[in-house]
Amino acid sequence: MLRSRLALIIVALVGVLALLFVVLAVGLVAGLGSKGSPGPAPGETPSDPAATGNGVPSGPSSGELRILGADPPTMDPHLAGDVDSATYIVEIFSGLVTLDRDLKVVPDIAESWQTTDGVTWTFQLRPGVRFHNNKVVTAQDFKFSFERACDPRTASTTAHTYLGDIVGCTDKLNGVAREVRGVQVVDDATLRLVIDAPKVYFIEKLTYPTAFVLDEANVRSGSAWTLRPNGTGPFKLQEWRPGERLILQRNDAYYRGPAKLERVRFILSGGSSITMYENNEIDVSGVGLTDIDRALDPANPLNRELINAPELSVGYIGFNTTKPPFDDLKVRQAFNYAVDKRKIVSVVLKDLVEPAAGILPPGLPGYSKDIKGLEFDAARAKQLLAESKYGSAQGLGRVVITIPGTGTALPPTSEAIIQQWKDNLGVTVEIQQVEFATFLQDLNRGIFQAFEIGWVADYPDPQNFLDLLFHSGSLENRSYFSDPEVDRILDQARVEKNETARLALYRQAEQLIVDKAPWLPLWHGRGYILVKPYVRGWYIAPLVVPFFKDISIEK
Amino acid sequence: MASTTFEAAPAAVRHRARSPWREALRRFLRKRAAVACLVFLLIVYFAGLLAPWVAPYDFRAQDLDNAGQGPSLSHPLGTDRLGRDIFSRIIWGARTAAIVSIAAVVTGSLVLGMVLGSLAGYFGRWVDTIIMRIGDIFLAFPGLLLVIFIAATLKPRALALAVAVEDSLGVRGIVASGLVDYFVVFGALALFGWVGMARLVRGQMLALKEAQFVEAARALGAGPGRIVFRHMLPNAMGPIIVIVSMAMGGTVTSEVVLSWLGIGIQPPNPSWGTMLWENQGMLRSNPHLLLVPAAVVASVIFAFNILGDGLNDALNPRAR
Amino acid sequence: MLAYILRRLLWVPVVLLVVTFVTFGLGVYGPGDPITLRLGQHANPEVAARLRHELGLDQPFVVQYREYLSGVVHGDLGESLVYRGRPVSALIFPKIWVSMQLGLLATAIAVGAGVPLGLMAALRQGTWKDTSIVSGALSLYIMPAFILAPILLYLFAFRLHWVPAAGWGGLVDKRIILPALVLGLPGIAGITRLMRASTLEVIGQDYVRTARAKGLLPRRINYVHIGRNAILPVVTVVGLSLATLVEGAFITETIFGIPGVGRLAVESLFARDYPVIMALTLLVAAGYVFVNLAVDIAYGVLDPRIRYR
């Protein structure tokens, strides 16, 4: 017995020693690893006197806005293709042009620009624009930046989409050219861009971070340069502790006038946003489905702090128009008419979103209330199904709808839709939920019969929706919709220079698309946000645009 | 997850007293709590397996006009956001839990674990080395992560396969019944479930190998199969039963966790984990949507543990 | 003995090789890939092919694996595919450190409450105190994190405002309390049971009877002799379980917004961030193998009844 007890003691000792060793080693490595971001051990940070790391913060310090944020995958504007990264990047960096609150393209580093033919664009740079380290921005910096974005070694996922129109960009991306011919430095303050065809919407693409200007010395300072970015935007990156916090500090020398806020503190660790809001830990919070009842209740104090606005998005069910049974127009229409979106939206989604009639979301240029959707009509749905080449619910064969996600957005709605198809058409549709990475791969292979997903505007133009998603030649067209009439109108709209005529063309295309039903458009997103009364100037931006500059805190 | 696992104390070699099983049964029946838990679990499992006949409503039947209601006469536990009967969904969820836990424990622990453990323990030498090292490799994986990965990525492929099979045979219903989900989830769980059992059985075999009655059997010319299955395994049954009851509870938890993560049983097929996940955050608006499945899950895990304790006391009296 | 240790040590690289090979293979041959994910709905085969080439993902599996291994041997775990430009080691070690702090506190809670409870239950074996301690502890054990956490949050963060709802500030910060409780409370049941069982075993042994015979006070017998001896298996089990802290506790971390390694692991899995997944798998496997080996050797040295071949 004694021996076995001794054995236990030794094992215990070995265990404890091994543990101590591991803890020490990890602590050491962690300490070394986090050298990149300022500040020593967890807890206090000397460089940040206003840190409220310990305990419940009593309220905001003046000039500091506190909100929940997400860890950005990258701070490199040329690599970012996601909303999380863009949120910070548009505050730290900037480009030739940007979007204002109404999503109009406005001058940024470029003071003005001219184009006569829609092919050659000449930009006049604003004098005295400086990087955060005080270096003056020249047209040469833009040339460097565009060429870096198009360099295959940068491995940008967005360069092709946003800069691909520039002459020579794809050559550079494909490694057959050393420079991008379409980017020309006229003088220090003048930049010329030449694109491959007249495209009015090209200027909108330049608002995207892929077209932002970088400081060559900064980029060449090592792979960790994004931890100390030298940008041109209204804020500087002061501190970034992954998973904990990210702090933006005002750039007092900002060329369009310094921001009113001294600092924006993003809490990266996540958690229940609305609870933190009610606890006064943050100043702004989104409202989800589970709390919307409380926030909408006029008797609840939260109600007075609630604002809402449309987001530029559309949720939809896409039908693969090349696969049975959705290769038949009447089947697609029947599946449209059979769903009572209004009822689902009001019961399941508590009117948090707007039922969609067409494709374009409200708030997007070109959006029209006059688009006639395929509104719920059970009798008509049945009739169309009977008229289709499949003749009846039994004739359709197996129908499967695939939805992405491991716990992503609102699956009860999918179940409600399935139920309505069953009730109103007598069709039993099977649901398959697939993890997102796998979903995307299979979506690209075109193997789904039907799928549920959403589309969010990359830039505020109907072209971003209609041309990309419904032109027979577009890679993003996952319903494989092909209609010569629609293609013709879309082609025409691409080169139409008169804005009113252009939007009219898109309206015409949209109505045709809705009637041909490659989609069952479901709803347009709407943002619901709680904002503390002392936060001034907050609004719901439908896209990621430079935002915090005009917000202030007044107590 | 950083959870601590505890192995049942190895049973000492027991002499074949007169009817040890009756003795154990007598001891077990004295534990009223354990008996009550056994009865409760039997009810849950049978209700689950018989769900199509027991549940008052179809688990899919929606009634948007009566969504999110509290308990009433027609819906004893209320309805969820789509107006589905929660009581029926709990029963159908029990079906999922029952099928997955039985299948995973039988294939993983009982079949794989017992056979491999017996082989390793009885033959020793290189057989032992190979089996135990393979077990080591399995344990060295971050198990939960791998289960998540397999469940998340394998299922679409398994589903596609099932669809192809259905189409070529001209049958329907395999996919719709959610069998593929069950299969993938219990397969992933079983893959990592066998090692613990194999180790336990091996330990028992090592201890029993030198026992007199085994040597006697060997002297009488019995083959290894007969020795292992007729003489040794029955003597190791006590700890095995205890482990199985614990493993069942553990598997129910794992199934709930996987479904909670959205990679176990997919909607509309019900699982308690899916119900918990669908209704998380409803604590303030519709608490019963969260509390009912939570209470059911908690009671089942509780019952398995009390049952395991009771069995341990009854079957391994020396371990007390 | 020495030969045994050597043989076991030789197994270590084999285990690690198999584990990394299988994980790598699952990543490369499994459905979904990081490039498709990054491109999202803007699927462009040309762009995808170019990116795949730039990141070396178009190489044959064996070449990729060999390059990965040679990197690891030279202490380079690679760069994250999601967090571009960030070395994997800079990404994971701070997060492991966070998870460890949380895990240690949770373990401390489990041991701190479980040991005295188990001791007490054993010394009052069969009484109502025993029963209530055991079942009380058990009722904590059955609370999965995703049930316990919302309830605790509702009570302490929202109703009472004692602690912030979420976030992370290290070991000396209020925000660690709730997650540590969620992780630690279920552990109390395990420790209590183990302590109770081992106490009962100690009570039955000769030297306790001797101590009693010598006329030492019962209280002294209980807490010094019995407690000291009974705690050993608990320490062993806890020591072993600490090896699993590297894996983190991702449900708790997710609910409470803690930047731990468990969350990173699951996120990397869904994002197909192979280098991060590989590094974590490697660490977990290595931790497991070495702790296991140490324990086996220690037992072998001290218990002659265990024979190694």
Side-chain angles (χ1 to χ4, degrees), chain C residues 59-120:
Chain C
Q59 305 267 355
F61 172 73
V62 187
V63 177
Q64 285 189 52
Y65 183 63
R66 200 179 55 213
E67 267 171 25
Y68 182 78
L69 278 191
S70 86
V72 169
V73 171
H74 293 100
D76 175 16
L77 292 172
E79 269 191 14
S80 164
L81 295 177
V82 172
Y83 295 93
R84 295 284 299 275
R86 211 105 63 83
V88 170
S89 49
L91 199 63
I92 63 174
F93 284 112
K95 303 220 175 209
I96 292 180
W97 176 228
V98 166
S99 290
M100 279 189 138
Q101 295 176 59
L102 181 62
L104 283 179
L105 187 59
T107 310
I109 290 173
V111 173
V115 166
L117 283 175
L119 192 61
M120 214 187 301

Side-chain angles (χ1 to χ4, degrees), chain A residues 118-451:
Chain A
V119 171
T120 306
W121 299 68
T122 311
F123 295 86
Q124 214 64 46
L125 302 194
R126 195 188 293 262
V129 176
R130 289 163 190 275
F131 287 106
H132 293 162
N133 72 350
N134 226 12
K135 184 177 162 274
V136 175
V137 178
T138 65
Q140 193 57 48
D141 292 315
F142 275 98
K143 173 134 177 104
F144 162 76
S145 302
F146 283 119
E147 285 181 347
R148 174 183 183 265
C150 297
D151 191 321
R153 278 168 303 171
T154 306
S156 165
T157 52
T158 50
H160 185 272
T161 310
Y162 293 96
L163 305 178
D165 300 321
I166 300 176
V167 171
C169 171
T170 39
D171 288 345
K172 170 110 180 158
L173 277 169
N174 291 327
V176 297
R178 285 193 51 213
E179 71 165 347
V180 178
R181 276 180 296 128
V183 183
Q184 297 157 7
V185 177
V186 179
D187 59 47
D188 267 3
T190 314
L191 182 78
R192 187 183 301 138
L193 298 180
V194 184
I195 61 177
D196 51 7
K199 289 171 185 166
V200 183
Y201 55 85
F202 169 68
I203 189 77
E204 282 160 13
K205 293 188 176 184
L206 295 181
T207 63
Y208 204 80
T210 315
F212 281 4
V213 67
L214 303 185
D215 171 27
E216 181 166 4
N218 185 218
V219 174
R220 298 216 189 283
S221 70
S223 69
W225 72 272
T226 50
L227 298 178
R228 15 167 230 285
N230 183 25
T232 44
F235 289 89
K236 303 173 185 177
L237 179 63
Q238 185 194 353
E239 185 187 4
W240 175 18
R241 296 170 76 84
E244 289 181 45
R245 59 175 174 265
L246 190 152
I247 296 171
L248 296 181
Q249 172 80 36
R250 175 170 62 205
N251 169 17
D252 289 321
Y254 182 58
Y255 52 89
R256 288 165 72 198
K260 295 174 189 148
L261 283 172
E262 202 174 302
R263 208 179 293 116
V264 188
R265 171 186 296 268
F266 295 89
I267 296 159
L268 304 179
S269 45
S272 166
S273 174
I274 196 163
T275 312
M276 294 172 80
Y277 180 83
E278 289 177 275
N279 271 357
N280 280 322
E281 294 164 41
I282 50 178
D283 302 318
V284 180
S285 165
V287 187
L289 194 53
T290 51
D291 295 291
I292 194 67
D293 279 349
R294 284 193 305 136
L296 286 175
D297 176 6
N300 193 305
L302 288 178
N303 188 251
R304 269 168 288 141
E305 299 167 9
L306 185 70
I307 60 171
N308 74 83
E311 298 170 339
L312 295 184
S313 70
V314 57
Y316 65 92
I317 288 170
F319 301 119
N320 188 333
T321 57
T322 61
K323 270 189 188 288
F326 297 114
D327 53 349
D328 186 329
L329 168 65
K330 292 201 164 141
V331 173
R332 299 200 298 270
Q333 287 171 334
F335 272 69
N336 262 279
Y337 281 120
V339 176
D340 188 351
K341 295 173 220 174
R342 282 178 203 287
K343 179 142 195 179
I344 296 176
V345 165
S346 76
V347 176
V348 186
L349 297 178
K350 296 177 178 162
D351 288 321
L352 217 55
V353 297
E354 276 172 44
I359 314 290
L360 301 180
L364 190 87
Y367 166 77
S368 161
K369 280 197 169 63
D370 304 332
I371 296 292
K372 241 179 76 57
L374 310 182
E375 292 289 322
F376 176 58
D377 185 342
R380 186 136 180 223
K382 275 199 203 72
Q383 190 199 338
L384 280 163
L385 185 61
E387 288 170 8
S388 75
K389 69 175 174 193
Y390 299 97
S392 67
Q394 288 69 40
L396 293 180
R398 178 197 297 276
V399 184
V400 181
I401 175 169
T402 311
I403 60 175
T406 39
T408 48
L410 320 170
T413 54
S414 319
E415 291 184 56
I417 293 166
I418 301 280
Q419 185 69 30
Q420 299 207 342
W421 281 332
K422 180 155 184 57
D423 292 347
N424 301 328
L425 286 179
V427 181
T428 306
V429 176
E430 292 166 20
I431 291 194
Q432 292 186 2
Q433 197 181 16
V434 173
E435 179 253 356
F436 194 58
T438 315
F439 177 89
L440 274 179
Q441 200 172 47
D442 290 353
L443 181 71
N444 293 347
R445 288 185 188 146
I447 64 175
F448 298 145
Q449 275 180 312
F451 52 92

Side-chain angles (χ1 to χ4, degrees), chain B:
Chain B
M1 261 175 299
S3 68
T4 324
T5 50
F6 302 94
E7 289 181 19
V13 181
R14 268 175 290 127
H15 300 289
R16 304 205 77 172
R18 43 194 168 69
S19 62
W21 289 106
R22 187 167 303 166
E23 192 63 13
L25 183 65
R26 198 178 54 76
R27 276 196 301 267
F28 178 73
L29 288 177
R30 272 208 308 252
K31 307 253 162 213
R32 281 201 213 103
V35 174
C37 286
L38 180 63
V39 173
F40 169 72
L41 289 172
L42 286 176
I43 293 175
V44 171
Y45 269 63
F46 273 106
L49 294 174
L50 300 174
W53 300 277
V54 176
Y57 294 86
D58 183 355
F59 64 90
R60 281 168 299 219
Q62 299 173 11
D63 180 359
L64 288 185
D65 296 321
N66 288 308
Q69 295 197 332
S72 65
L73 269 182
S74 51
H75 298 284
L77 295 177
T79 59
D80 70 5
R81 274 187 284 170
L82 292 171
R84 295 174 298 195
D85 180 49
I86 293 181
F87 182 59
S88 303
R89 287 182 65 76
I90 289 283
I91 294 178
W92 279 89
R95 179 185 176 85
T96 302
I99 292 177
V100 169
S101 62
I102 292 174
V105 169
V106 166
T107 51
S109 291
L110 283 180
V111 176
L112 268 178
M114 243 161 64
V115 169
L116 292 176
S118 305
L119 287 177
Y122 186 80
F123 290 105
R125 294 173 185 278
W126 60 271
V127 179
D128 184 23
T129 310
I130 289 179
I131 293 176
M132 285 302 109
R133 288 303 152 254
I134 291 177
D136 264 356
I137 290 173
F138 269 90
L139 287 182
F141 273 106
L144 185 69
L145 280 185
L146 206 64
V147 168
I148 290 176
F149 189 76
I150 291 174
T153 62
L154 211 63
K155 199 154 47 195
R157 298 293 170 257
L159 276 171
L161 191 72
V163 167
V165 168
E166 276 190 15
D167 287 349
S168 66
L169 297 180
V171 289
R172 294 291 288 272
I174 301 176
V175 177
S177 67
L179 274 180
V180 177
D181 283 0
Y182 295 144
F183 187 77
V184 171
V185 171
F186 88 67
L189 291 176
L191 198 57
F192 292 91
W194 66 271
V195 187
M197 179 60 101
R199 292 191 151 190
L200 177 96
V201 172
R202 170 183 175 267
Q204 295 284 318
M205 290 291 143
L206 282 179
L208 287 170
K209 210 158 69 170
E210 325 268 303
Q212 281 168 355
F213 68 90
V214 174
E215 287 187 359
R218 204 175 289 133
L220 289 172
R226 187 178 166 79
I227 293 179
V228 167
F229 287 104
R230 291 282 305 162
H231 298 282
M232 290 166 79
L233 272 182
N235 273 284
M237 225 48 212
I240 290 177
I241 290 176
V242 173
I243 281 252
V244 162
S245 96
M246 299 282 188
M248 294 276 268
T251 316
V252 170
T253 320
S254 304
E255 186 271 311
V256 170
V257 169
L258 286 182
S259 296
W260 183 79
L261 286 168
I263 49 179
I265 306 304
Q266 297 302 327
N269 290 310
S271 150
W272 297 332
T274 318
M275 294 176 77
L276 285 171
W277 166 67
E278 279 172 353
N279 299 308
Q280 60 178 323
M282 301 296 260
L283 200 60
R284 278 152 84 172
S285 49
N286 280 14
H288 72 282
L289 290 183
L290 187 64
L291 292 180
V292 168
V296 172
V297 173
S299 330
V300 167
I301 304 173
F302 185 77
F304 268 119
N305 278 279
I306 296 279
L307 177 65
D309 275 359
L311 288 172
N312 194 31
D313 289 349
L315 293 167
N316 311 321
R318 284 278 309 272
R320 282 226 84 182

Side-chain angles (χ1 to χ4, degrees), chain A residues 413-537:
Chain A
T413 54
S414 319
E415 291 184 56
I417 293 166
I418 301 280
Q419 185 69 30
Q420 299 207 342
W421 281 332
K422 180 155 184 57
D423 292 347
N424 301 328
L425 286 179
V427 181
T428 306
V429 176
E430 292 166 20
I431 291 194
Q432 292 186 2
Q433 197 181 16
V434 173
E435 179 253 356
F436 194 58
T438 315
F439 177 89
L440 274 179
Q441 200 172 47
D442 290 353
L443 181 71
N444 293 347
R445 288 185 188 146
I447 64 175
F448 298 145
Q449 275 180 312
F451 52 92
E452 187 180 331
I453 196 167
W455 182 265
V456 185
D458 300 302
Y459 42 91
D461 197 284
Q463 183 268 351
N464 185 238
F465 282 74
L466 301 176
D467 202 329
L468 255 58
L469 298 167
F470 300 103
H471 194 288
S472 63
S474 166
L475 288 164
E476 282 89 351
N477 178 356
R478 289 295 167 217
S479 47
Y480 301 96
F481 179 68
S482 174
D483 185 275
E485 175 76 0
V486 171
D487 281 357
R488 193 184 54 77
I489 302 173
L490 290 175
D491 285 337
Q492 206 179 329
R494 280 185 195 173
V495 292
E496 175 61 58
K497 286 186 209 118
N498 179 305
E499 186 68 2
T500 320
R502 195 172 76 93
L503 294 182
L505 283 171
Y506 279 124
R507 247 192 311 280
Q508 199 188 339
E510 186 182 8
Q511 185 64 59
L512 271 175
I513 293 165
V514 169
D515 294 341
K516 296 273 168 73
W519 280 14
L520 162 55
L522 294 174
W523 30 72
H524 301 298
R526 184 166 264 281
Y528 286 79
I529 307 272
L530 290 165
V531 183
K532 294 281 183 195
Y534 49 77
V535 177
R536 300 289 158 81

